[in-house]
Amino acid sequence: VIASDGTVTVEEGELYRELAAILELRSKSLALRRGRQYLRDISGDGLRFGPPRVLGGRMLSVVAWSRILDSSEVLCAINTDPSLPRRAWVVVDSGLHPAGSALKVVYSTRRADEGMLLPVQSKGEDGLVAALDLEVPPAGFVALA
């Protein structure tokens, strides 16, 4: 932010506030600091899952990963589409989050989503995939625990 006197106040900028919120979340979560990291498969229909893919030279998708430490999983996801929200079924660890359990949105660039509980459901062609239906805001980031 540039003030009328020409000074720059970084702490008042939106990017600074978002990074500060994410760093605070990280400082409170051992899994985010030290957990193993896993790229998560996604699905548009809840049946066929796979990693995000580049289509037509651009990736406009949800990209999700988990940080797992012991019995704690934090699911993180970004939306690579700067214009539109994107939705996908995202795989979670079925041993930690079986169907019927839920994960809570602990951070979102769309603040109204924070605190929401997203149910884990049995998905996949064989019904053995633990996944949740996740929408990520345009160019946004979410974290669930």
Side-chain angles (χ1 to χ4, degrees), residues 133-144:
D133 184 18
L134 181 62
E135 182 179 273
V136 183
F141 172 72
V142 297
L144 299 93

Side-chain angles (χ1 to χ4, degrees), residues 5 20 37 39 51 56 63 71 87 90 99 106 110-112 126 135 140:
D5 65 0
Q37 189 162 286
L39 180 65
V63 177
S71 62
R87 174 175 239 109
V90 179
V106 294
R110 185 171 50 210
R111 292 288 192 255
D126 55 8
E135 182 179 273

Side-chain angles (χ1 to χ4, degrees), residues 36 38 40 66 68 73 91-98 101 120 130:
R36 297 175 313 275
Y38 301 94
R40 290 301 186 188
S66 288
I68 298 177
E73 177 176 15
V91 172
V92 294
D93 186 295
S94 62
L96 298 176
H97 305 287
S101 64
V120 176

Side-chain angles (χ1 to χ4, degrees), residues 20-113:
I22 293 168
L23 289 171
E24 182 179 348
L25 175 64
R26 183 181 182 272
S27 73
K28 293 178 179 178
S29 171
L30 194 55
L32 283 176
R33 293 193 312 274
R34 298 195 179 158
R36 297 175 313 275
Q37 189 162 286
Y38 301 94
L39 180 65
R40 290 301 186 188
D41 285 346
I42 61 170
S43 173
D45 62 8
L47 297 175
R48 295 175 304 278
F49 285 83
R53 292 201 163 90
V54 175
L55 299 173
R58 292 185 67 190
M59 179 183 285
L60 299 174
S61 177
V62 171
V63 177
W65 66 98
S66 288
R67 297 292 304 260
I68 298 177
L69 183 65
D70 192 27
S71 62
S72 176
E73 177 176 15
V74 179
L75 178 67
C76 301
I78 60 170
N79 177 359
T80 63
D81 188 333
S83 303
L84 298 171
R86 292 284 173 161
R87 174 175 239 109
W89 287 98
V90 179
V91 172
V92 294
D93 186 295
S94 62
L96 298 176
H97 305 287
S101 64
L103 278 88
K104 179 178 170 182
V105 177
V106 294
Y107 173 85
S108 176
T109 50
R110 185 171 50 210
R111 292 288 192 255
D113 291 350

Side-chain angles (χ1 to χ4, degrees), residues 110-128:
R110 185 171 50 210
R111 292 288 192 255
D113 291 350
E114 291 179 2
M116 281 184 17
L117 293 175
L118 299 182
V120 176
Q121 300 178 38
S122 294
K123 290 293 179 182
E125 292 176 337
D126 55 8
L128 298 177

